[in-house]
Amino acid sequence: MAALLLVPIAGQAQQAEPVPAPPTTGQPLLSPALASGQPAKADTLPARTLAEAFGRGQWHGRVRNYFMATRNQDTLPDYYANGLGAGARFETAPLHGFSVGAGGFFWVNLASNDLATPDAATGTVNRYEVGLFDVNNPARRRLTGRPEELFVRYRWRKSVATFGRQLLVTPLVNPQDGRLSPNYEQGLWLEVNELARTRITAGWLTHMAVRSTSEWASVARSIGLYPTGVDETGKRALYAGNLSSRGLGVLGVSRQLGERTRVQAWNYYADNLFNSLFTELTTGRAVGAGQLTLGAQYHYQRTVGHGGNADPRLAYSAPGRQAHALSARLGAQRGPWSLSANYTRIARTGRFLFPREWGREPFYTFLPRERQEGYGGLDAAMLLASYAVPAAPGLKAEVGYGQYYLPDVKDFRLNKYGMPSYSQLNSSLSYPFRGWAKGLRGQVLYLYKASLGDTYGEARFVANKVDMHHLNLIVNYDF
Protein backbone atom coordinates (compact mmCIF):
# COMPACT_ATOMS: atom_id res chain seq x y z
CA MET A 1 0.00 0.00 0.00
CA ALA A 2 1.47 3.25 -1.02
CA ALA A 3 2.85 5.29 1.83
CA LEU A 4 3.19 8.64 0.10
CA LEU A 5 2.04 10.52 -2.98
CA LEU A 6 3.83 9.38 -6.10
CA VAL A 7 4.44 11.00 -9.48
CA PRO A 8 4.27 9.20 -12.87
CA ILE A 9 5.04 5.54 -12.35
CA ALA A 10 6.61 3.40 -15.01
CA GLY A 11 4.76 0.16 -15.56
CA GLN A 12 1.47 1.44 -14.23
CA ALA A 13 -1.35 0.00 -16.32
CA GLN A 14 -3.39 2.80 -17.87
CA GLN A 15 -6.00 3.15 -20.57
CA ALA A 16 -6.66 5.88 -23.09
CA GLU A 17 -10.39 5.41 -22.52
CA PRO A 18 -10.73 3.23 -19.42
CA VAL A 19 -13.38 0.57 -19.07
CA PRO A 20 -15.09 1.29 -15.72
CA ALA A 21 -13.99 -1.52 -13.42
CA PRO A 22 -16.27 -3.39 -11.05
CA PRO A 23 -15.38 -2.96 -7.39
CA THR A 24 -12.59 -4.75 -5.62
CA THR A 25 -13.80 -4.85 -2.05
CA GLY A 26 -11.65 -3.33 0.62
CA GLN A 27 -8.83 -2.23 -1.65
CA PRO A 28 -6.18 -0.18 0.14
CA LEU A 29 -6.33 3.58 0.40
CA LEU A 30 -3.59 4.37 -2.08
CA SER A 31 -2.27 7.81 -2.88
CA PRO A 32 -4.49 9.57 -5.42
CA ALA A 33 -2.10 8.78 -8.28
CA LEU A 34 -2.06 5.07 -7.51
CA ALA A 35 -5.71 4.75 -6.65
CA SER A 36 -6.88 6.26 -9.93
CA GLY A 37 -4.36 4.46 -12.11
CA GLN A 38 -3.27 7.79 -13.57
CA PRO A 39 -0.03 9.76 -13.14
CA ALA A 40 0.10 12.56 -10.65
CA LYS A 41 0.26 16.05 -12.17
CA ALA A 42 3.98 16.66 -11.87
CA ASP A 43 5.75 19.76 -13.20
CA THR A 44 6.97 18.48 -16.58
CA LEU A 45 7.82 21.86 -18.12
CA PRO A 46 11.59 21.86 -18.71
CA ALA A 47 13.80 23.89 -16.40
CA ARG A 48 16.55 26.08 -17.85
CA THR A 49 19.06 25.81 -15.00
CA LEU A 50 19.94 23.38 -12.22
CA ALA A 51 18.75 25.87 -9.63
CA GLU A 52 15.42 26.19 -11.41
CA ALA A 53 15.07 22.38 -11.61
CA PHE A 54 15.39 22.10 -7.83
CA GLY A 55 13.42 25.28 -7.15
CA ARG A 56 10.45 23.99 -9.13
CA GLY A 57 10.74 20.50 -7.72
CA GLN A 58 7.74 18.98 -5.96
CA TRP A 59 7.46 17.69 -2.40
CA HIS A 60 4.81 15.17 -1.40
CA GLY A 61 4.23 13.65 1.99
CA ARG A 62 1.97 11.28 3.84
CA VAL A 63 0.99 10.39 7.39
CA ARG A 64 -0.74 7.06 7.94
CA ASN A 65 -2.30 5.51 11.03
CA TYR A 66 -3.33 1.85 10.82
CA PHE A 67 -5.19 -0.15 13.48
CA MET A 68 -5.65 -3.87 12.91
CA ALA A 69 -7.18 -6.60 15.07
CA THR A 70 -7.88 -10.33 14.68
CA ARG A 71 -10.26 -12.41 16.78
CA ASN A 72 -9.88 -16.18 16.49
CA GLN A 73 -12.31 -18.81 17.70
CA ASP A 74 -12.49 -20.27 21.21
CA THR A 75 -9.11 -20.43 22.99
CA LEU A 76 -6.97 -19.55 19.98
CA PRO A 77 -5.00 -16.30 20.49
CA ASP A 78 -6.32 -12.89 19.49
CA TYR A 79 -4.16 -10.02 18.27
CA TYR A 80 -4.20 -6.24 17.85
CA ALA A 81 -1.74 -3.58 16.72
CA ASN A 82 -1.66 0.12 15.91
CA GLY A 83 1.06 1.50 13.66
CA LEU A 84 1.85 5.11 12.74
CA GLY A 85 3.99 6.04 9.75
CA ALA A 86 5.11 9.17 7.92
CA GLY A 87 7.17 9.79 4.81
CA ALA A 88 8.10 12.30 2.13
CA ARG A 89 9.48 12.38 -1.40
CA PHE A 90 10.94 15.02 -3.69
CA GLU A 91 11.38 15.12 -7.47
CA THR A 92 13.01 17.90 -9.45
CA ALA A 93 11.53 19.49 -12.53
CA PRO A 94 13.10 18.07 -15.72
CA LEU A 95 16.34 19.62 -17.01
CA HIS A 96 17.23 18.54 -20.56
CA GLY A 97 14.75 15.71 -20.02
CA PHE A 98 16.36 14.49 -16.79
CA SER A 99 14.91 14.62 -13.27
CA VAL A 100 15.97 13.05 -9.99
CA GLY A 101 13.87 11.92 -7.07
CA ALA A 102 14.30 10.59 -3.54
CA GLY A 103 12.00 9.53 -0.71
CA GLY A 104 11.78 7.60 2.52
CA PHE A 105 9.36 6.43 5.18
CA PHE A 106 9.40 5.88 8.97
CA TRP A 107 7.01 3.97 11.19
CA VAL A 108 6.55 2.97 14.81
CA ASN A 109 4.56 0.42 16.81
CA LEU A 110 2.30 2.59 18.98
CA ALA A 111 0.55 -0.34 20.66
CA SER A 112 0.19 -4.09 20.24
CA ASN A 113 0.17 -7.35 22.11
CA ASP A 114 3.05 -9.82 21.65
CA LEU A 115 3.47 -10.42 17.91
CA ALA A 116 6.81 -12.22 18.10
CA THR A 117 6.25 -15.21 20.40
CA PRO A 118 4.47 -18.33 19.08
CA ASP A 119 1.36 -19.28 21.02
CA ALA A 120 2.41 -21.76 23.69
CA ALA A 121 -0.67 -23.95 23.34
CA THR A 122 -0.86 -24.24 19.56
CA GLY A 123 2.57 -23.21 18.23
CA THR A 124 0.92 -20.75 15.82
CA VAL A 125 2.29 -17.26 15.17
CA ASN A 126 0.72 -13.94 14.33
CA ARG A 127 -0.09 -13.56 10.64
CA TYR A 128 -1.59 -10.13 9.91
CA GLU A 129 -0.69 -7.51 12.53
CA VAL A 130 3.05 -8.20 12.40
CA GLY A 131 2.99 -6.96 8.80
CA LEU A 132 2.41 -3.41 10.03
CA PHE A 133 6.02 -3.31 11.19
CA ASP A 134 9.06 -5.47 10.33
CA VAL A 135 8.38 -9.18 9.83
CA ASN A 136 12.10 -9.88 10.26
CA ASN A 137 12.15 -8.25 13.70
CA PRO A 138 8.60 -8.52 15.08
CA ALA A 139 9.65 -7.67 18.66
CA ARG A 140 11.03 -4.28 17.66
CA ARG A 141 8.95 -1.35 18.92
CA ARG A 142 11.17 1.67 18.39
CA LEU A 143 11.10 3.97 15.37
CA THR A 144 11.98 2.15 12.12
CA GLY A 145 12.54 3.50 8.65
CA ARG A 146 14.02 2.83 5.25
CA PRO A 147 15.10 4.76 2.14
CA GLU A 148 12.57 3.99 -0.58
CA GLU A 149 13.06 6.03 -3.74
CA LEU A 150 16.33 7.22 -5.29
CA PHE A 151 16.23 7.47 -9.07
CA VAL A 152 17.20 9.31 -12.23
CA ARG A 153 14.40 9.69 -14.76
CA TYR A 154 14.59 10.69 -18.41
CA ARG A 155 11.58 11.80 -20.44
CA TRP A 156 11.65 11.79 -24.22
CA ARG A 157 8.49 12.78 -26.06
CA LYS A 158 5.82 10.49 -24.49
CA SER A 159 8.24 7.86 -23.17
CA VAL A 160 10.03 7.53 -19.83
CA ALA A 161 13.16 5.70 -18.62
CA THR A 162 13.86 5.40 -14.89
CA PHE A 163 17.00 4.02 -13.27
CA GLY A 164 17.31 3.37 -9.54
CA ARG A 165 14.91 2.74 -6.69
CA GLN A 166 11.30 3.31 -7.67
CA LEU A 167 7.71 2.15 -7.16
CA LEU A 168 6.20 -0.01 -9.90
CA VAL A 169 2.63 -1.08 -10.60
CA THR A 170 2.20 -4.11 -12.86
CA PRO A 171 -0.22 -7.05 -12.67
CA LEU A 172 2.15 -9.25 -10.60
CA VAL A 173 4.89 -6.92 -9.34
CA ASN A 174 3.02 -4.22 -7.44
CA PRO A 175 2.84 -2.28 -4.17
CA GLN A 176 0.48 -4.83 -2.53
CA ASP A 177 -2.29 -3.86 -0.15
CA GLY A 178 -2.96 -3.27 3.45
CA ARG A 179 0.07 -2.17 5.48
CA LEU A 180 1.96 1.05 6.25
CA SER A 181 4.37 1.22 3.32
CA PRO A 182 4.42 -0.53 -0.09
CA ASN A 183 6.94 -2.51 -2.13
CA TYR A 184 9.69 -0.70 -4.03
CA GLU A 185 12.02 -2.05 -6.72
CA GLN A 186 15.53 -1.24 -7.94
CA GLY A 187 16.62 -1.46 -11.55
CA LEU A 188 16.10 -0.02 -15.01
CA TRP A 189 12.50 0.56 -16.18
CA LEU A 190 11.38 1.72 -19.62
CA GLU A 191 7.93 2.84 -20.69
CA VAL A 192 7.46 3.48 -24.42
CA ASN A 193 4.34 5.35 -25.54
CA GLU A 194 5.24 6.34 -29.12
CA LEU A 195 2.74 4.03 -30.82
CA ALA A 196 -0.89 5.10 -30.92
CA ARG A 197 -3.04 3.41 -28.25
CA THR A 198 -0.12 1.14 -27.30
CA ARG A 199 2.19 1.03 -24.31
CA ILE A 200 5.36 -1.11 -24.19
CA THR A 201 7.01 -1.67 -20.82
CA ALA A 202 10.35 -3.36 -20.18
CA GLY A 203 12.61 -3.59 -17.16
CA TRP A 204 15.35 -5.46 -15.35
CA LEU A 205 15.16 -5.50 -11.54
CA THR A 206 17.96 -6.46 -9.18
CA HIS A 207 16.71 -5.55 -5.68
CA MET A 208 13.45 -5.24 -3.74
CA ALA A 209 12.31 -3.29 -0.69
CA VAL A 210 9.60 -5.66 0.46
CA ARG A 211 6.51 -4.38 2.24
CA SER A 212 6.68 -4.99 6.01
CA THR A 213 10.49 -5.08 6.02
CA SER A 214 13.09 -2.38 6.70
CA GLU A 215 15.95 -3.42 4.38
CA TRP A 216 16.61 -3.70 0.65
CA ALA A 217 17.40 -7.22 -0.57
CA SER A 218 18.53 -8.79 -3.83
CA VAL A 219 15.88 -10.47 -5.97
CA ALA A 220 17.01 -13.89 -4.73
CA ARG A 221 17.20 -12.94 -1.03
CA SER A 222 13.86 -11.11 -1.11
CA ILE A 223 12.08 -14.46 -1.60
CA GLY A 224 11.31 -16.13 1.71
CA LEU A 225 11.03 -13.03 3.90
CA TYR A 226 7.37 -13.97 4.36
CA PRO A 227 6.31 -17.45 5.62
CA THR A 228 7.47 -20.14 3.19
CA GLY A 229 4.94 -22.91 3.81
CA VAL A 230 5.95 -26.48 2.96
CA ASP A 231 7.60 -28.18 0.01
CA GLU A 232 5.81 -30.78 -2.09
CA THR A 233 6.74 -33.55 0.37
CA GLY A 234 5.17 -31.73 3.32
CA LYS A 235 8.43 -30.67 4.95
CA ARG A 236 9.06 -27.04 5.87
CA ALA A 237 10.27 -25.18 2.78
CA LEU A 238 13.93 -24.19 3.14
CA TYR A 239 14.49 -21.92 0.16
CA ALA A 240 14.79 -18.66 2.16
CA GLY A 241 18.39 -17.45 1.90
CA ASN A 242 19.39 -20.39 -0.32
CA LEU A 243 18.41 -19.12 -3.79
CA SER A 244 20.55 -17.73 -6.60
CA SER A 245 19.28 -15.41 -9.34
CA ARG A 246 20.72 -12.56 -11.36
CA GLY A 247 17.44 -10.66 -11.34
CA LEU A 248 13.93 -10.30 -12.69
CA GLY A 249 13.13 -9.27 -16.27
CA VAL A 250 9.69 -7.86 -17.12
CA LEU A 251 8.16 -7.20 -20.55
CA GLY A 252 4.62 -5.88 -21.00
CA VAL A 253 2.50 -4.73 -23.92
CA SER A 254 -0.88 -3.03 -23.50
CA ARG A 255 -3.09 -1.93 -26.40
CA GLN A 256 -6.43 -0.19 -26.56
CA LEU A 257 -8.41 -1.96 -29.29
CA GLY A 258 -11.51 0.18 -29.19
CA GLU A 259 -13.41 2.58 -27.03
CA ARG A 260 -14.09 -0.07 -24.38
CA THR A 261 -11.71 -2.93 -25.22
CA ARG A 262 -8.14 -3.40 -24.03
CA VAL A 263 -5.69 -6.29 -24.18
CA GLN A 264 -2.44 -6.68 -22.28
CA ALA A 265 0.28 -9.31 -21.96
CA TRP A 266 3.11 -9.43 -19.41
CA ASN A 267 6.02 -11.83 -19.08
CA TYR A 268 8.07 -12.14 -15.88
CA TYR A 269 11.40 -13.95 -16.21
CA ALA A 270 13.02 -14.62 -12.84
CA ASP A 271 16.51 -15.86 -13.71
CA ASN A 272 17.12 -19.44 -12.51
CA LEU A 273 13.72 -19.43 -10.77
CA PHE A 274 10.62 -19.36 -12.97
CA ASN A 275 8.87 -17.73 -15.91
CA SER A 276 5.32 -16.39 -15.55
CA LEU A 277 3.08 -15.19 -18.40
CA PHE A 278 -0.03 -13.09 -17.71
CA THR A 279 -2.58 -12.09 -20.37
CA GLU A 280 -5.85 -10.19 -20.00
CA LEU A 281 -8.69 -8.97 -22.19
CA THR A 282 -11.25 -6.49 -20.88
CA THR A 283 -14.20 -5.05 -22.74
CA GLY A 284 -17.48 -3.30 -22.11
CA ARG A 285 -20.77 -2.43 -23.74
CA ALA A 286 -23.28 0.28 -23.02
CA VAL A 287 -26.70 -1.09 -22.08
CA GLY A 288 -29.34 1.55 -21.59
CA ALA A 289 -28.18 3.92 -18.84
CA GLY A 290 -25.57 1.45 -17.62
CA GLN A 291 -22.73 -0.71 -18.87
CA LEU A 292 -21.76 -4.37 -18.93
CA THR A 293 -18.10 -5.29 -18.52
CA LEU A 294 -16.27 -8.53 -19.30
CA GLY A 295 -12.79 -9.62 -18.31
CA ALA A 296 -10.73 -12.74 -18.91
CA GLN A 297 -7.22 -13.67 -17.72
CA TYR A 298 -4.88 -16.53 -18.47
CA HIS A 299 -1.72 -17.28 -16.47
CA TYR A 300 0.99 -19.77 -17.38
CA GLN A 301 4.09 -20.60 -15.33
CA ARG A 302 7.04 -22.94 -15.53
CA THR A 303 10.24 -23.53 -13.59
CA VAL A 304 13.46 -22.06 -15.01
CA GLY A 305 16.81 -23.72 -14.40
CA HIS A 306 17.03 -25.41 -11.01
CA GLY A 307 14.21 -23.34 -9.52
CA GLY A 308 16.75 -21.35 -7.53
CA ASN A 309 18.95 -24.13 -6.15
CA ALA A 310 20.41 -27.36 -7.57
CA ASP A 311 19.36 -29.09 -4.34
CA PRO A 312 15.58 -29.73 -4.73
CA ARG A 313 15.15 -29.39 -0.97
CA LEU A 314 16.33 -25.77 -1.20
CA ALA A 315 14.64 -24.75 -4.47
CA TYR A 316 11.76 -22.27 -4.71
CA SER A 317 10.08 -23.89 -7.71
CA ALA A 318 10.24 -27.66 -8.25
CA PRO A 319 12.02 -28.68 -11.48
CA GLY A 320 9.47 -29.37 -14.23
CA ARG A 321 6.65 -27.55 -12.44
CA GLN A 322 3.96 -26.01 -14.65
CA ALA A 323 0.87 -24.09 -13.62
CA HIS A 324 -2.16 -22.86 -15.55
CA ALA A 325 -4.81 -20.48 -14.23
CA LEU A 326 -7.92 -18.87 -15.66
CA SER A 327 -9.94 -16.02 -14.19
CA ALA A 328 -13.12 -14.38 -15.53
CA ARG A 329 -15.37 -11.48 -14.62
CA LEU A 330 -18.85 -10.33 -15.63
CA GLY A 331 -19.77 -6.90 -14.29
CA ALA A 332 -22.56 -4.36 -14.54
CA GLN A 333 -22.72 -0.69 -13.63
CA ARG A 334 -25.67 1.64 -13.40
CA GLY A 335 -25.62 4.99 -11.65
CA PRO A 336 -23.95 4.65 -8.23
CA TRP A 337 -24.19 0.84 -8.26
CA SER A 338 -21.54 -1.60 -9.48
CA LEU A 339 -21.84 -5.39 -9.40
CA SER A 340 -19.66 -8.26 -10.62
CA ALA A 341 -19.50 -12.05 -10.62
CA ASN A 342 -15.99 -13.56 -10.67
CA TYR A 343 -14.45 -17.00 -11.08
CA THR A 344 -10.92 -18.43 -10.93
CA ARG A 345 -9.62 -21.90 -11.73
CA ILE A 346 -6.05 -23.07 -11.09
CA ALA A 347 -5.36 -26.43 -12.75
CA ARG A 348 -4.02 -29.45 -10.87
CA THR A 349 -0.84 -29.51 -12.97
CA GLY A 350 1.05 -27.74 -10.18
CA ARG A 351 1.08 -24.92 -7.66
CA PHE A 352 0.58 -21.37 -8.91
CA LEU A 353 3.68 -19.64 -7.47
CA PHE A 354 4.74 -16.02 -7.44
CA PRO A 355 6.66 -14.57 -4.47
CA ARG A 356 4.21 -12.93 -2.10
CA GLU A 357 7.02 -10.53 -1.28
CA TRP A 358 6.80 -9.01 -4.80
CA GLY A 359 3.07 -8.28 -5.00
CA ARG A 360 -0.36 -9.79 -4.91
CA GLU A 361 -1.80 -11.76 -7.83
CA PRO A 362 -4.46 -10.00 -9.99
CA PHE A 363 -7.09 -12.76 -10.01
CA TYR A 364 -10.60 -11.33 -10.20
CA THR A 365 -11.57 -13.38 -7.14
CA PHE A 366 -9.01 -11.63 -4.90
CA LEU A 367 -10.31 -10.29 -1.60
CA PRO A 368 -7.94 -8.48 0.80
CA ARG A 369 -6.29 -10.56 3.54
CA GLU A 370 -6.17 -13.80 1.59
CA ARG A 371 -4.58 -14.98 -1.66
CA GLN A 372 -4.75 -17.83 -4.13
CA GLU A 373 -0.99 -17.99 -4.66
CA GLY A 374 0.62 -21.25 -3.56
CA TYR A 375 -2.17 -23.59 -4.66
CA GLY A 376 -3.14 -25.85 -7.52
CA GLY A 377 -6.51 -27.49 -8.12
CA LEU A 378 -8.33 -24.39 -6.83
CA ASP A 379 -11.84 -23.22 -7.69
CA ALA A 380 -13.02 -19.82 -6.48
CA ALA A 381 -16.24 -17.88 -7.06
CA MET A 382 -16.96 -14.42 -5.74
CA LEU A 383 -19.64 -11.71 -5.89
CA LEU A 384 -18.76 -8.03 -5.47
CA ALA A 385 -20.96 -4.97 -5.04
CA SER A 386 -20.27 -1.30 -4.41
CA TYR A 387 -22.39 1.81 -3.92
CA ALA A 388 -21.12 5.38 -4.28
CA VAL A 389 -23.35 7.53 -2.08
CA PRO A 390 -24.63 10.43 -4.23
CA ALA A 391 -25.39 12.63 -1.22
CA ALA A 392 -21.79 12.39 0.02
CA PRO A 393 -19.36 12.54 -2.93
CA GLY A 394 -16.49 10.11 -2.45
CA LEU A 395 -18.23 7.98 0.17
CA LYS A 396 -18.24 4.38 -1.05
CA ALA A 397 -19.57 1.19 0.50
CA GLU A 398 -18.34 -2.18 -0.80
CA VAL A 399 -19.26 -5.79 -0.01
CA GLY A 400 -17.70 -8.98 -1.34
CA TYR A 401 -18.44 -12.64 -0.68
CA GLY A 402 -16.47 -15.57 -2.04
CA GLN A 403 -16.10 -19.32 -1.66
CA TYR A 404 -12.65 -20.81 -2.23
CA TYR A 405 -12.25 -24.56 -2.70
CA LEU A 406 -8.65 -25.64 -2.19
CA PRO A 407 -6.93 -29.04 -2.17
CA ASP A 408 -6.94 -30.85 1.17
CA VAL A 409 -4.61 -29.26 3.71
CA LYS A 410 -2.50 -32.44 3.62
CA ASP A 411 -2.23 -32.50 -0.17
CA PHE A 412 1.22 -30.95 0.02
CA ARG A 413 1.87 -31.07 -3.73
CA LEU A 414 -0.93 -28.58 -4.35
CA ASN A 415 -1.40 -26.83 -0.99
CA LYS A 416 1.71 -24.89 0.04
CA TYR A 417 0.41 -23.05 3.11
CA GLY A 418 -1.90 -25.61 4.76
CA MET A 419 -4.97 -23.50 4.05
CA PRO A 420 -8.36 -25.25 4.20
CA SER A 421 -11.21 -24.44 1.84
CA TYR A 422 -13.02 -21.38 3.15
CA SER A 423 -15.64 -18.71 2.57
CA GLN A 424 -14.88 -15.02 3.05
CA LEU A 425 -17.09 -11.99 3.60
CA ASN A 426 -15.59 -8.50 3.25
CA SER A 427 -17.27 -5.16 3.88
CA SER A 428 -15.66 -1.78 3.49
CA LEU A 429 -16.53 1.90 3.88
CA SER A 430 -14.16 4.60 2.60
CA TYR A 431 -14.34 8.38 2.40
CA PRO A 432 -12.03 11.19 1.20
CA PHE A 433 -12.68 14.28 3.30
CA ARG A 434 -13.21 17.68 1.69
CA GLY A 435 -12.98 21.35 2.56
CA TRP A 436 -10.64 22.15 5.44
CA ALA A 437 -9.85 18.40 5.81
CA LYS A 438 -8.85 17.90 2.15
CA GLY A 439 -6.13 15.27 1.89
CA LEU A 440 -7.53 13.25 4.79
CA ARG A 441 -9.00 9.87 3.87
CA GLY A 442 -10.40 7.08 6.00
CA GLN A 443 -11.42 3.45 5.57
CA VAL A 444 -13.03 0.75 7.68
CA LEU A 445 -12.57 -2.85 6.51
CA TYR A 446 -14.14 -5.85 8.25
CA LEU A 447 -13.95 -9.46 7.15
CA TYR A 448 -14.99 -12.90 8.35
CA LYS A 449 -13.60 -16.20 7.09
CA ALA A 450 -15.30 -19.54 7.73
CA SER A 451 -13.87 -23.01 7.18
CA LEU A 452 -15.31 -25.13 4.36
CA GLY A 453 -12.70 -27.90 4.52
CA ASP A 454 -11.40 -30.55 6.91
CA THR A 455 -8.88 -29.16 9.42
CA TYR A 456 -8.34 -32.53 11.17
CA GLY A 457 -8.78 -30.88 14.59
CA GLU A 458 -5.36 -29.21 14.27
CA ALA A 459 -5.04 -25.58 15.35
CA ARG A 460 -2.30 -24.86 12.78
CA PHE A 461 -4.91 -25.19 10.01
CA VAL A 462 -7.34 -22.83 11.78
CA ALA A 463 -5.56 -20.07 13.73
CA ASN A 464 -5.38 -16.82 11.74
CA LYS A 465 -6.70 -18.68 8.67
CA VAL A 466 -10.40 -19.54 9.12
CA ASP A 467 -13.26 -19.12 11.62
CA MET A 468 -11.92 -15.65 12.41
CA HIS A 469 -12.93 -11.99 12.42
CA HIS A 470 -10.56 -9.27 11.20
CA LEU A 471 -10.88 -5.47 11.49
CA ASN A 472 -8.89 -2.64 9.89
CA LEU A 473 -9.22 1.09 10.66
CA ILE A 474 -7.08 3.26 8.37
CA VAL A 475 -6.54 7.03 8.29
CA ASN A 476 -4.29 8.70 5.70
CA TYR A 477 -3.28 12.31 5.27
CA ASP A 478 -1.60 13.30 1.98
CA PHE A 479 -0.03 16.72 1.61
Side-chain angles (χ1 to χ4, degrees), residues 380-442:
M382 183 182 63
L383 296 175
L384 290 171
S386 75
Y387 179 71
V389 181
L395 179 62
K396 178 181 284 189
E398 298 180 296
V399 176
Y401 175 77
Q403 293 192 343
Y404 302 82
Y405 295 94
L406 283 66
D408 187 85
V409 292
K410 295 187 177 182
D411 183 352
F412 307 120
R413 187 182 75 87
L414 297 176
N415 195 326
K416 179 179 181 180
Y417 299 106
M419 184 75 186
S421 297
Y422 65 97
S423 64
Q424 180 171 339
L425 173 67
N426 278 32
S427 59
S428 170
L429 190 67
S430 59
Y431 181 68
F433 291 84
R434 300 175 182 273
W436 64 268
K438 183 178 180 180
L440 187 67
R441 294 171 296 129

Side-chain angles (χ1 to χ4, degrees), residues 227-239 316 351 353 374 409 411-413 415-418 460-461:
T228 57
V230 299
D231 63 21
E232 294 190 1
T233 68
K235 297 179 181 178
R236 185 170 67 89
L238 301 175
Y239 55 79
Y316 172 74
R351 298 172 173 179
L353 297 178
V409 292
D411 183 352
F412 307 120
R413 187 182 75 87
N415 195 326
K416 179 179 181 180
Y417 299 106
R460 61 191 176 112
F461 298 133

Side-chain angles (χ1 to χ4, degrees), residues 170-404:
T170 79
L172 288 169
V173 173
N174 49 61
Q176 303 199 64
D177 70 305
R179 301 298 186 270
L180 285 172
S181 184
N183 288 353
Y184 287 83
E185 294 77 26
Q186 177 177 305
L188 175 63
W189 200 257
L190 307 175
E191 189 177 278
V192 181
N193 299 295
E194 306 308 314
L195 301 177
R197 306 170 72 86
T198 301
R199 167 166 294 174
I200 301 172
T201 305
W204 182 260
L205 307 177
T206 61
H207 291 76
M208 306 279 186
V210 176
R211 182 195 72 172
S212 306
T213 68
S214 58
E215 303 289 341
W216 283 82
S218 68
V219 162
R221 296 193 68 84
S222 69
I223 303 174
L225 298 178
Y226 293 174
T228 57
V230 299
D231 63 21
E232 294 190 1
T233 68
K235 297 179 181 178
R236 185 170 67 89
L238 301 175
Y239 55 79
N242 293 310
L243 303 177
S244 63
S245 176
R246 291 175 293 184
L248 172 66
V250 182
L251 178 64
V253 179
S254 176
R255 181 169 177 81
Q256 197 77 21
L257 300 180
E259 182 179 355
R260 296 184 176 89
T261 302
R262 183 175 68 116
V263 62
Q264 61 175 329
W266 294 78
N267 193 78
Y268 300 82
Y269 175 80
D271 174 65
N272 196 41
L273 292 166
F274 62 87
N275 192 85
S276 187
L277 173 67
F278 165 82
T279 59
E280 181 181 47
L281 173 68
T282 56
T283 189
R285 180 178 180 179
V287 178
Q291 177 169 274
L292 290 178
T293 58
L294 295 171
Q297 299 175 349
Y298 170 66
H299 304 245
Y300 170 71
Q301 296 181 331
R302 64 178 180 85
T303 299
V304 170
H306 298 296
N309 196 301
D311 185 344
R313 297 172 299 175
L314 307 178
Y316 172 74
S317 182
R321 178 190 67 91
Q322 294 188 25
H324 302 265
L326 296 170
S327 194
R329 162 173 284 171
L330 172 62
Q333 292 182 312
R334 184 181 177 89
W337 287 97
S338 182
L339 305 170
S340 72
N342 307 273
Y343 174 75
T344 295
R345 168 65 180 174
I346 302 177
R348 296 185 61 86
T349 54
R351 298 172 173 179
F352 177 89
L353 297 178
F354 197 89
R356 294 190 172 194
E357 293 84 356
W358 297 358
R360 64 95 168 166
E361 69 275 5
F363 293 130
Y364 294 127
T365 48
F366 171 80
L367 282 174
R369 301 304 172 268
E370 200 53 74
R371 309 195 193 193
Q372 287 116 75
E373 185 274 334
Y375 309 111
L378 172 145
D379 285 285
M382 183 182 63
L383 296 175
L384 290 171
S386 75
Y387 179 71
V389 181
L395 179 62
K396 178 181 284 189
E398 298 180 296
V399 176
Y401 175 77
Q403 293 192 343
Y404 302 82

Side-chain angles (χ1 to χ4, degrees), residues 67-204:
F67 174 79
M68 184 181 290
T70 302
R71 181 174 179 81
N72 284 296
Q73 68 171 4
D74 301 330
T75 60
L76 296 178
D78 300 327
Y79 298 97
Y80 74 91
N82 194 93
L84 176 66
R89 75 179 308 277
F90 175 79
E91 184 175 359
T92 67
L95 177 64
H96 301 300
F98 289 93
S99 61
V100 297
F105 196 78
F106 294 88
W107 64 88
V108 67
N109 182 342
L110 292 182
S112 73
N113 52 1
D114 186 356
L115 306 179
T117 306
D119 178 58
T122 64
T124 59
V125 296
N126 179 258
R127 183 182 179 197
Y128 296 108
E129 289 75 11
V130 67
L132 289 177
F133 312 113
D134 187 345
V135 295
N136 294 317
N137 192 356
R140 183 175 184 174
R141 290 181 176 263
R142 65 179 185 272
L143 187 68
T144 305
R146 69 181 184 187
E148 294 188 325
E149 291 183 276
L150 183 61
F151 60 81
V152 176
R153 178 168 288 153
Y154 179 70
R155 294 179 175 88
W156 180 77
R157 297 175 61 176
K158 298 180 181 179
S159 300
V160 181
T162 306
F163 178 74
R165 296 178 173 181
Q166 55 197 292
L167 186 147
L168 302 175
V169 181
T170 79
L172 288 169
V173 173
N174 49 61
Q176 303 199 64
D177 70 305
R179 301 298 186 270
L180 285 172
S181 184
N183 288 353
Y184 287 83
E185 294 77 26
Q186 177 177 305
L188 175 63
W189 200 257
L190 307 175
E191 189 177 278
V192 181
N193 299 295
E194 306 308 314
L195 301 177
R197 306 170 72 86
T198 301
R199 167 166 294 174
I200 301 172
T201 305
W204 182 260

